[in-house]
Amino acid sequence: MTAIKHALQRDIFTPNDERLLSIVNVCKAGKKKKNCFLCATVTTERPVQVKVVKVKKSDKGDFYKRQIAWALRDLAVVDAKDAIKENPEFDLHFEKIYKWVASSTAEKNAFISCIWKLNQRYLRKKIDFVNVSSQLLEELPKVTEESVPSGENQSVTGGDEEVVDEYQELNAREEQDIEIMMEGCEYAISNAEAFAEKLSRELQVLDGANIQSIMASEKQVNILMKLLDEALKEVDQIELKLSSYEEMLQSVKEQMDQISESNHLIHLSNTNNVKLLSEIEFLVNHMDLAKGHIKALQEGDLASSRGIEACTNAADALLQCMNVALRPGHDMLLAVKQQQQRFSDLRELFARRLASHLNNVFVQQGHDQSSTLAQHSVELTLPNHHPFHRDLLRYAKLMEWLKSTDYGKYEGLTKNYMDYLSRLYEREIKDFFEVAKIKMTGTTKESKKFGLHGSSGKLTGSTSSLNKLSVQSSGNRRSQSSSLLDMGNMSASDLDVADRTKFDKIFEQVLSELEPLCLAEQDFISKFFKLQQHQSIPGTMVWLIVYFACYNFIYLVCFLNRKDMIRQMMIKIFRCIEPELNNLIALGDKIDSFNSLYMLVKMSHHVWTAQNVDPASFLSTTLGNVLVTVKRNFDKCISNQIRQMEEVKISKKSKVGILPFVAEFEEFAGLAESIFKNAERRGDLDKAYTKLIRGVFVNVEKVANESQKTPRDVVMMENFHHIFATLSRLKISCLEAEKKDAKQKYTDHLQSYVIYSLGQPLEKLNHFFDGVEARVAQGIREEEVSYQLAFNKQELRKVIKEYPGKEVKKGLDNLYKKVDKHLCEEENLLQVVWHSMQDEFIRQYKHFEGLIARCYPGSGVTMEFTIQDILDYCSSIAQSH
């Protein structure tokens, strides 16, 4: 250990002007055994600094390095663990507790003893030694620093240093004396024993000289001892005086402690007074309601604008006083409880006054508004509620106050408002719809035909509004198109475009009046009842999530939110709008089923507009429900037209012409295209077109097959030509395929009718050449057909002679008359058919001449009329008719 101590002093502490006083080999308790050294050191320069240094052997070599150092003044406790038994463990309490295990108990005790001595000398007993044997803490004789020779390099310890330190370096003077001594004894190096004996003899000589000197100076020693006794007496006197001074200072200390305690109490009293004043000021500032506010709440005029403003300010001030956040303990004060009770009484009083006044305003509004209904009874307008809303909005802030302070009265006011206003709006809206129905039907008398009576404007009569249509197959265009509802002998043909336009304007006016009325009322409700913010109802959960374990589903149950509350209020206030609209729609549909087209377009537009503003609003929902009814009527109109097509009956005695449902489709399509131009519900119309045109095609063919008076081809040709012309004129994009199909059917049946009709004027000639073609088809060569008995040249000349030009012209004239009887005047296809027949007759003529040339070559047989003759005959016949 001495060698290690010497090495540490030389390598680590001497370069730092420090002296190593004690060392202990330790390792950390409870961990891997990594040894290190704890060193107690002092600096060689003043002021002296005492440290505990941890030194550890380097991992890369055999030298030691300084790892960490603690100032001894930072050491609070030294815990030796056990004062009786030997225990190598000990703790040092610096900023945290360091637990060490020494290599031996002796080293630990020596190190703790050194620390205790350093504490006694430099720190004046600031360190606590716990579980340390009292033998280790015996105080060594104190030696002042002045006792150390100034020429020596000793600045820390005096006589006690020999006890603390086992090893001490030689100073310069000692080294010099030893060198002189050794130079005088050259053999000291080679013969240590002789040198030691010489030194021993010289020491004995010196000891003898010292004894003689002491004995010679006995007198001086006695004098010195006497002086020491006198000095001790003086010290005792000084100690007595110091004790008296200490007693005096002790009384002074007690007095000073009393003064200090008194000052502390005074300071505490002042602090409490300041806090009490602060609490009183807080309560006064926040819970004191001005007399003017109290008077306004008790007697304020709720009818005038100035009085409403004063009451509003007073109510806000009262609410602030009631909602003030009291500090802990305030609610236990009697004055605070009394003030809170006074505020509650004021709140109850003002809430009753406000609720009573607003109820009176609601009632008065109903009476005042009723007096204005008369002036709107003849006009298709609804009364304006803006003045009433403007007057009530002055109370909006008071309603918000009432909602937050007394929700029961707020809810009661809401219910009363809905009751009064629902009755008022019901009278206004019913009168409004009565005027609309009268304007639609023309007069009150006429309105009775449609089931209108009394002020309710309800529809009466049979629920069945459709009768089977019996169509007379006559040439009368008006009777053919009577395919609508049989309403008091009134048909769609009796209602011209002006009547439908009038209905459209009235219906649009109705919707245009209802829309701003509902929006204005909804906006007023939102502002007046303070539903524009997302506020929860006191005592009511806004959202409740219920987890349902079955099938691992999660159900979310939503209570009424802001929009739901507004919508529910609007439903109660305007509960009559939807049934009145449905009655009006039923009347319009009863007057003319085509009115459903106008209503579908108008209603769709208003629903689209309302949904863009607020999809969940009352107006959007109500108009959406009514739109469903309108769409149902529209689909019913389409279904009725298809059913009427299927039930149409034709006369067996007159020609068919253009079928009624074909004309009605033209009327429907023309009307629909004008109504649905740029409409939102174009898709519904396209679907209706598809259903109708499919029914028209099927039933045209059905009627053509059943026709007895008019040939099937004529029925098909005329009606499909009319359909093609209609679709070409209207340019309906979704019916392009049907337009092409109609054209093809028209062309095919025109050709078929022409071919069939031309077989009659030259009947024998047609039969003859049909036989010729049949023989050629059987394999007989064309030039050999003339050798057949039934088809020789003589038979050919005989047949040709039967059809001279005069007979041909006569046959064509009869054909023209027959075609004229088959075709109807409305479609004007006679000239088209006659021109087609002319072309087909010329084609047949050329075909006959070709057969004569091929089958009867060189016979000289020719027809008795030429192509030019045919053209002249056809032209003269057409002009004559």
mmCIF file of all heavy atoms in Angstrom, residues 438-452:
data_model
loop_
_atom_site.group_PDB
_atom_site.id
_atom_site.type_symbol
_atom_site.label_atom_id
_atom_site.label_comp_id
_atom_site.label_asym_id
_atom_site.label_seq_id
_atom_site.Cartn_x
_atom_site.Cartn_y
_atom_site.Cartn_z
ATOM 1 N N ILE A 438 -109.010 28.753 -56.574
ATOM 2 C CA ILE A 438 -110.027 29.504 -57.331
ATOM 3 C C ILE A 438 -109.435 30.048 -58.617
ATOM 4 O O ILE A 438 -110.058 30.007 -59.685
ATOM 5 C CB ILE A 438 -110.596 30.636 -56.456
ATOM 6 C CG1 ILE A 438 -111.419 30.040 -55.304
ATOM 7 C CG2 ILE A 438 -111.438 31.594 -57.282
ATOM 8 C CD1 ILE A 438 -111.880 31.064 -54.299
ATOM 9 N N LYS A 439 -108.206 30.559 -58.543
ATOM 10 C CA LYS A 439 -107.567 31.091 -59.750
ATOM 11 C C LYS A 439 -107.281 29.977 -60.746
ATOM 12 O O LYS A 439 -107.312 30.195 -61.965
ATOM 13 C CB LYS A 439 -106.265 31.812 -59.376
ATOM 14 C CG LYS A 439 -106.488 33.149 -58.678
ATOM 15 C CD LYS A 439 -105.172 33.859 -58.411
ATOM 16 C CE LYS A 439 -105.405 35.236 -57.798
ATOM 17 N NZ LYS A 439 -106.041 36.163 -58.731
ATOM 18 N N MET A 440 -106.976 28.778 -60.274
ATOM 19 C CA MET A 440 -106.711 27.667 -61.191
ATOM 20 C C MET A 440 -107.973 27.242 -61.937
ATOM 21 O O MET A 440 -107.937 26.955 -63.136
ATOM 22 C CB MET A 440 -106.166 26.459 -60.411
ATOM 23 C CG MET A 440 -104.724 26.576 -60.009
ATOM 24 S SD MET A 440 -104.186 25.081 -59.155
ATOM 25 C CE MET A 440 -102.495 25.517 -58.788
ATOM 26 N N THR A 441 -109.103 27.202 -61.214
ATOM 27 C CA THR A 441 -110.339 26.725 -61.830
ATOM 28 C C THR A 441 -111.136 27.841 -62.488
ATOM 29 O O THR A 441 -112.094 27.574 -63.211
ATOM 30 C CB THR A 441 -111.207 26.045 -60.770
ATOM 31 O OG1 THR A 441 -111.433 26.957 -59.684
ATOM 32 C CG2 THR A 441 -110.515 24.814 -60.227
ATOM 33 N N GLY A 442 -110.777 29.080 -62.237
ATOM 34 C CA GLY A 442 -111.450 30.212 -62.884
ATOM 35 C C GLY A 442 -112.372 30.933 -61.950
ATOM 36 O O GLY A 442 -112.165 32.081 -61.609
ATOM 37 N N THR A 443 -113.444 30.281 -61.484
ATOM 38 C CA THR A 443 -114.415 30.917 -60.587
ATOM 39 C C THR A 443 -114.746 29.946 -59.471
ATOM 40 O O THR A 443 -114.425 28.760 -59.523
ATOM 41 C CB THR A 443 -115.714 31.298 -61.335
ATOM 42 O OG1 THR A 443 -116.318 30.099 -61.819
ATOM 43 C CG2 THR A 443 -115.446 32.245 -62.477
ATOM 44 N N THR A 444 -115.451 30.458 -58.490
ATOM 45 C CA THR A 444 -115.871 29.613 -57.381
ATOM 46 C C THR A 444 -116.850 28.550 -57.841
ATOM 47 O O THR A 444 -116.836 27.420 -57.393
ATOM 48 C CB THR A 444 -116.503 30.475 -56.276
ATOM 49 O OG1 THR A 444 -115.592 31.500 -55.936
ATOM 50 C CG2 THR A 444 -116.816 29.640 -55.054
ATOM 51 N N LYS A 445 -117.744 28.908 -58.809
ATOM 52 C CA LYS A 445 -118.693 27.929 -59.333
ATOM 53 C C LYS A 445 -117.965 26.776 -60.004
ATOM 54 O O LYS A 445 -118.263 25.619 -59.794
ATOM 55 C CB LYS A 445 -119.627 28.606 -60.358
ATOM 56 C CG LYS A 445 -120.888 29.155 -59.746
ATOM 57 C CD LYS A 445 -121.789 29.626 -60.858
ATOM 58 C CE LYS A 445 -123.030 30.249 -60.239
ATOM 59 N NZ LYS A 445 -123.930 30.739 -61.271
ATOM 60 N N GLU A 446 -117.001 27.164 -60.841
ATOM 61 C CA GLU A 446 -116.263 26.122 -61.550
ATOM 62 C C GLU A 446 -115.465 25.270 -60.585
ATOM 63 O O GLU A 446 -115.242 24.082 -60.813
ATOM 64 C CB GLU A 446 -115.331 26.749 -62.588
ATOM 65 C CG GLU A 446 -116.092 27.397 -63.742
ATOM 66 C CD GLU A 446 -115.138 28.097 -64.701
ATOM 67 O OE1 GLU A 446 -113.942 28.038 -64.449
ATOM 68 O OE2 GLU A 446 -115.620 28.684 -65.675
ATOM 69 N N SER A 447 -115.023 25.897 -59.483
ATOM 70 C CA SER A 447 -114.223 25.127 -58.532
ATOM 71 C C SER A 447 -115.047 24.020 -57.893
ATOM 72 O O SER A 447 -114.511 23.007 -57.489
ATOM 73 C CB SER A 447 -113.665 26.049 -57.440
ATOM 74 O OG SER A 447 -114.714 26.567 -56.647
ATOM 75 N N LYS A 448 -116.374 24.222 -57.819
ATOM 76 C CA LYS A 448 -117.213 23.184 -57.226
ATOM 77 C C LYS A 448 -117.244 21.939 -58.102
ATOM 78 O O LYS A 448 -117.442 20.839 -57.624
ATOM 79 C CB LYS A 448 -118.624 23.707 -57.014
ATOM 80 C CG LYS A 448 -118.698 24.752 -55.897
ATOM 81 C CD LYS A 448 -120.110 25.251 -55.694
ATOM 82 C CE LYS A 448 -120.165 26.297 -54.582
ATOM 83 N NZ LYS A 448 -121.519 26.837 -54.391
ATOM 84 N N LYS A 449 -117.028 22.149 -59.417
ATOM 85 C CA LYS A 449 -116.996 20.994 -60.308
ATOM 86 C C LYS A 449 -115.849 20.061 -59.948
ATOM 87 O O LYS A 449 -115.887 18.867 -60.209
ATOM 88 C CB LYS A 449 -116.847 21.441 -61.772
ATOM 89 C CG LYS A 449 -118.031 22.197 -62.313
ATOM 90 C CD LYS A 449 -117.766 22.579 -63.754
ATOM 91 C CE LYS A 449 -118.930 23.396 -64.335
ATOM 92 N NZ LYS A 449 -118.667 23.780 -65.722
ATOM 93 N N PHE A 450 -114.791 20.647 -59.360
ATOM 94 C CA PHE A 450 -113.611 19.850 -59.043
ATOM 95 C C PHE A 450 -113.571 19.476 -57.571
ATOM 96 O O PHE A 450 -112.535 19.130 -57.030
ATOM 97 C CB PHE A 450 -112.347 20.630 -59.424
ATOM 98 C CG PHE A 450 -112.283 20.937 -60.884
ATOM 99 C CD1 PHE A 450 -112.732 22.156 -61.375
ATOM 100 C CD2 PHE A 450 -111.813 19.994 -61.771
ATOM 101 C CE1 PHE A 450 -112.677 22.430 -62.712
ATOM 102 C CE2 PHE A 450 -111.746 20.263 -63.113
ATOM 103 C CZ PHE A 450 -112.191 21.484 -63.605
ATOM 104 N N GLY A 451 -114.705 19.576 -56.895
ATOM 105 C CA GLY A 451 -114.757 19.111 -55.518
ATOM 106 C C GLY A 451 -114.317 20.122 -54.511
ATOM 107 O O GLY A 451 -113.969 19.769 -53.398
ATOM 108 N N LEU A 452 -114.292 21.437 -54.838
ATOM 109 C CA LEU A 452 -113.905 22.486 -53.894
ATOM 110 C C LEU A 452 -115.149 23.085 -53.275
ATOM 111 O O LEU A 452 -116.056 23.498 -53.980
ATOM 112 C CB LEU A 452 -113.115 23.589 -54.603
ATOM 113 C CG LEU A 452 -111.712 23.216 -55.073
ATOM 114 C CD1 LEU A 452 -111.131 24.381 -55.839
ATOM 115 C CD2 LEU A 452 -110.836 22.857 -53.914
#
